[in-house]
Amino acid sequence: MRGRPNLFTDYESEMALFPTTTKRVAVALLLIFALLVPLGAIPGLSFLQESSWLVLINRALVFAIAALGLNLLTGVAGQVSLGHSFFMAVGAYTAVLLGGAPGKTVWGLELPIWIWLPAAGIAAAIIGIIVAPTAVRVRGLYLAFVTLGLVFIGLHLWRNFGKVAGGPTTGRPWPPLEFALWKGDPIISFANDGPWFGVQLTSDAKTYFFLLVAVILFTLVAKNLMRTRIGRAWAAIRDRDIAAEIMGVNEVRGKTQAFAISSFYAGIAGALFAVILGRLIPETWDLLLAVEFIAIILIGGAGTIAGTLLGTFFVVLIPRIVEDITFFFADQVANQGPLAWLGDLFIRKSPDDILGFVSTGAAGPGLSIFQLNVALFGVLIIVFLIAEPLGLYGIWIRVRNYWKGWPFTY
Amino acid sequence: MDAAVVVAQVAGAGGAEKFINALSSGLALGAIYAILALGFVIIFKATQVVNFAHGALAAVGAYFTVYFATVLNVPGRFLEFLPYTAQWVLSAALAVLATAVVGMIVERITIRPMIGEPLFAVAMITLGLDLILRTVTNDFMGNQARGLNDPWGADILEIGLLRVAKTQIVTMIVAVVAMLLLAWFFRSRMGIAMRATAFDQEAAMAQGISVGKVFAVAWAIGAALAAIGGIFSSMAPRASAGLTPFTALIVFRAFPAVIVGGLDSVTGAIVGGLLIGMAEVFAGTYLATVSWLGVGFSGIVPWLFMMLILLVKPYGLFGTEEIRRV
């Protein structure tokens, strides 16, 4: 049967993690690529090694964990959740409560990472299990509103429990990313520059490796969940819950598992997100963050792992690219470069500029780059839903199928 | 932030006075929520779309009012013989019309291509719309509070124990008028067509009803009601500073009203709106001094109330229970 890529003679080999040689090679190449990124060893892409890019990539890796969780809940199990930022916050505050330094106004136990990181996930999972029965009782879009309510209730809690969350405008510092057996000097620290196995690495690069391992682990778990009993039960519930019940799928158990596991992912991601940023205010965990994750799975392609990862990098890196392009054109306009006429169309130069709607000044009139990005999310969600409901993953499948049959149409 | 104003208005009074004033404030706030919820329910009933952009449409309406009444002064500048109140009301009416047009455009571009797609996908489209509309409105507003210059301002009417802001009276009158107009509309030819479409789109088409037109009208009415709600939410005593970038978020609290009443029930929208408004104001009045609940607790009362109701009645108080079939 060699040389026939899509011929599977048994179920096992079809459901294998990497069913074809092409996939195995592609994943291996991707891994090598990922390992080389912080070393700046990739020709043409060595700028990714810079701190500003690496910080962004780290952020994307953390978001990938949360997005994988939301994908399991919304994409695979079909339970719409607008409350993902709430579960992330639960994880982040559990982490800081257990691992943070105590102060005059805040609580903290200064426990090591191997306690606070799993605890962050477990605490969020417990809250998820508490919420899950609602999902059994309240269906479809009504559930979306319940989870939306969670975000607002959560924001109220974080604003008011200063002992845990710090001041409403100042926040509090999170513990650094370092591994210690107990209190005292860390064995491995990801938070300071230094050599590893003879290679000089920045703290960003070390954090990158830590997060990369975490993402690979969580991706494998998600992939395995999807192709075993639990995942199949989720898909059945998504497609028609009552039909699933008739087939013997336990709906209550399935939905509870989905909420618990998705929240676990969110909790871990929330804790890591807070840790890599160092300090957060309670307003971080707002609706916009939750919508960002919805955007990630819709743009990437709901229900697919590859799509989720693609979507995460797309959504996280797009603001930076937009920023670079905007500043490039602002520079062109200011210095009358060859592309100034293009920049004139959208860069605002004076308050009564009719055409320009993007302003590069921090607080000037016009859309700031942040606002432009928010609006762009909206546009992207709409365009993808109307034009390509399977998202980036769907585009990739179409491109792949085209080249598979090339030069024939079929 | 806005609840604080409502509370301040009622605080310092005792016993019966406190209760009566909380009741009237609650009714006025409830009237705003009811107007917003009505617009939402009409869109949902006719087009099966859960409109997350309702808050953004409300902000658009309030912004148009600011623009027409204070910046451009239309149609006031052509009708200077009219008293200021009439001029302002005309500007507001124009703003409501403009928002209705925005609603129709939005429907035509983003909702019409999605007919037949899953409800979830269309709801997510409106979530995207919310981001776009809010950002664009904020862009025009310049991220600062803009007063509406309404003729009533912070004036207060005193009737015995009752102290009620004039804007609140206007709110209640407008709400009642809107409800009566809608009741009439549902009996008109277009209204019957809309009810038929809500019941079964294909059957309605077979009867010669233009479903596209029904969609457009539903979005126009929904957006107009959102605009009215948005205008009243950015007036004293709700928001003393006027329209701010937060207005659209405050309007989010009308969602619990919709859910409590049931997504597809017009009666439910009105009852839900009043209930949520009362719950919020009463919590602000009587629980403001309970320190462990935290500052601004009244702001999340609508959400807590919604969750409680949903656990007892999963489709809201008046919502149609979905018959589940394989």
Side-chain angles (χ1 to χ4, degrees), chain A residues 137 142 156 160 240 366 371, chain B residues 139 263 293 295 311-312 325:
Chain A
R137 185 130 176 86
Y142 280 94
H156 176 78
N160 283 290
R240 202 86 187 103
Q371 287 173 319
Chain B
D139 174 37
L263 268 177
L293 288 174
V295 182
L311 284 178
V312 187
R325 274 183 290 237

Side-chain angles (χ1 to χ4, degrees), chain A residues 8 12 32 37 47 74 80 86 90 92 127 151 165 182 187-188 199 214 216 219 224 253 270 322 355 357 373 385 391:
Chain A
F8 299 106
E12 291 259 308
I32 295 170
V37 162
F47 65 90
T74 304
V80 184
F86 168 76
V90 171
I127 302 288
V151 174
W182 198 243
I187 301 170
I188 312 168
V199 184
I216 290 171
T219 310
N224 280 333
R253 196 170 67 193
V322 168
L355 269 179
F357 56 91
N373 278 315
L385 277 174

